[in-house]
Amino acid sequence: MATPEVRAIAGTVCGRWEDTVAVFRGIPYAQPPVGALRFAPPAPAQRWDGVRDVASFGPPAPQADAPDSDHDTDWLTLNVWSPDPGDARLPVMVWIHGGRYLEGHTGNPHQNGAILAAAGVVVVSLNYRVGFEGFAHVAGAPNNRGLLDQIAALHWVHDNISAFGGDPTNVTLFGQSAGAGSIAALLTAADRAGLFHRAIIQSLPGTFFTEQLAAAVSAQIAEQLDTQPSAAELQRFSPHTLVTASHALLARMPRFVQSWGPMALTPTPFSPIVDGSTVPESPWRALAAGAARDIKVPFRVRDR
């Protein structure tokens, strides 16, 4: 069987056939968010000439178990599993991984999309900025950079997935834990129109931060480094240094319960920020008011 090649907007990619599924790993959907692009919204991926081999997963965003991410900075990549690359117009399922908004990546073997794809859908999974890089409040930078990454990946799907055999008008988001919380936030995002049509939300966490709370968390992390939580000051510190400082705060969070409330007893110092922009209002309030009436969201109530 010929090696599968697909012409995406940025350039041609060469994947691998694995049994009956064509797999494309580590396709960049945005530029590495480093240097001048650090703490910035995701910038469109640069075009390339020739054929790009996409046999391996991209590196995870900076997190405790990925110290090499300071040097291997192609964090913003996605993966596609397709049983029929071409003009098949198959349903699309986009997976958003969990991990406490602090960790996670698509190279986890438990998140292999091959079984779903073999059943007749095109599966996409994506890496996004987690931890401080993706969810901390940073003065002079946009909030919710991890969510902005996810939105950029969904735009990539909308613009490119038909070439991989998918139908961009039939996209289902699904995710677990922090991935589910991300989807709840995306359901209320102003600029998500047309990017997805169904959502499956698994093990939804309850925390969404005010800007005031997020700023207090960032101030505590920056204080450990004797600096200010601004984009200009934090550029001096490597991503992994901020990972280490974030985990140091995590160990001390219970002492802030009087000022931070129940969030101080959770297993993460980060969550999506209700900033009036990317997340216009609390998802609970927005969804109760019908913000996502156009999206099909199945739910199950547990018996008590």
Side-chain angles (χ1 to χ4, degrees):
M1 189 178 294
T3 302
E5 289 189 5
V6 172
R7 174 70 183 179
I9 290 176
T12 300
V13 294
C14 175
R16 300 289 186 275
W17 282 104
E18 297 179 4
D19 294 326
T20 60
V21 174
V23 186
F24 308 82
R25 297 181 175 93
I27 304 172
Y29 66 84
Q31 295 179 44
V34 296
L37 296 178
R38 193 177 180 194
F39 305 123
Q46 293 181 327
R47 295 177 181 268
W48 61 85
D49 296 323
V51 179
R52 184 179 186 128
D53 186 73
V54 287
S56 301
F57 290 110
Q63 52 196 272
D65 293 332
D68 290 341
S69 56
D70 280 356
H71 309 290
D72 196 355
T73 57
D74 276 328
W75 311 325
L76 303 186
T77 63
L78 53 75
N79 320 290
V80 180
W81 289 262
S82 175
D84 190 3
D87 192 28
R89 303 288 289 185
L90 296 171
V92 180
M93 298 188 72
V94 179
W95 170 255
I96 300 181
H97 69 73
R100 301 183 293 165
Y101 306 105
L102 195 63
E103 59 200 6
H105 57 90
T106 59
N108 185 330
H110 296 292
Q111 299 173 19
N112 188 333
I115 293 176
L116 274 176
V121 300
V122 175
V123 179
V124 179
S125 65
L126 58 114
N127 283 344
Y128 57 94
R129 280 174 283 185
V130 295
F132 201 100
E133 301 291 319
F135 288 96
H137 176 80
V138 177
N143 293 315
N144 299 306
R145 295 172 297 280
L147 296 181
L148 294 177
D149 294 344
Q150 295 167 16
I151 292 170
L154 289 172
H155 278 287
W156 186 97
V157 170
H158 181 270
D159 296 341
N160 290 276
I161 206 62
S162 59
F164 293 81
D167 182 354
T169 68
N170 187 3
V171 176
T172 299
L173 285 190
F174 67 128
Q176 176 264 346
S177 190
S182 295
I183 293 172
L186 293 175
L187 284 168
T188 72
D191 55 353
R192 55 91 175 153
L195 296 180
F196 60 96
H197 314 89
R198 298 172 184 82
I200 300 171
I201 299 173
Q202 302 164 277
S203 299
L204 174 63
T207 54
F208 296 92
F209 288 1
T210 64
E211 280 196 289
Q212 181 181 11
L213 174 56
V217 170
S218 295
Q220 285 295 325
I221 293 171
E223 184 177 296
Q224 297 176 72
L225 303 173
D226 194 26
T227 192
Q228 297 297 315
S230 69
E233 290 295 318
L234 292 170
Q235 282 280 5
R236 300 187 292 115
F237 299 90
S238 73
H240 203 67
T241 296
L242 296 180
V243 169
T244 301
S246 299
H247 278 268
L249 174 63
L250 178 60
R252 297 188 294 113
M253 274 175 34
R255 70 181 64 176
F256 294 98
V257 69
Q258 293 298 320
S259 53
W260 292 358
M263 164 267 163
L265 303 178
T266 70
T268 179
F270 303 115
S271 283
I273 301 168
V274 180
D275 60 356
S277 178
T278 304
V279 184
E281 60 179 318
S282 166
W284 312 120
R285 184 177 295 110
L287 293 172
R293 286 194 184 99
D294 59 322
I295 304 296
K296 296 179 180 179
V297 182
F299 68 93
R300 179 173 65 88
V301 178
R302 291 181 179 177
D303 295 332
R304 294 186 180 276

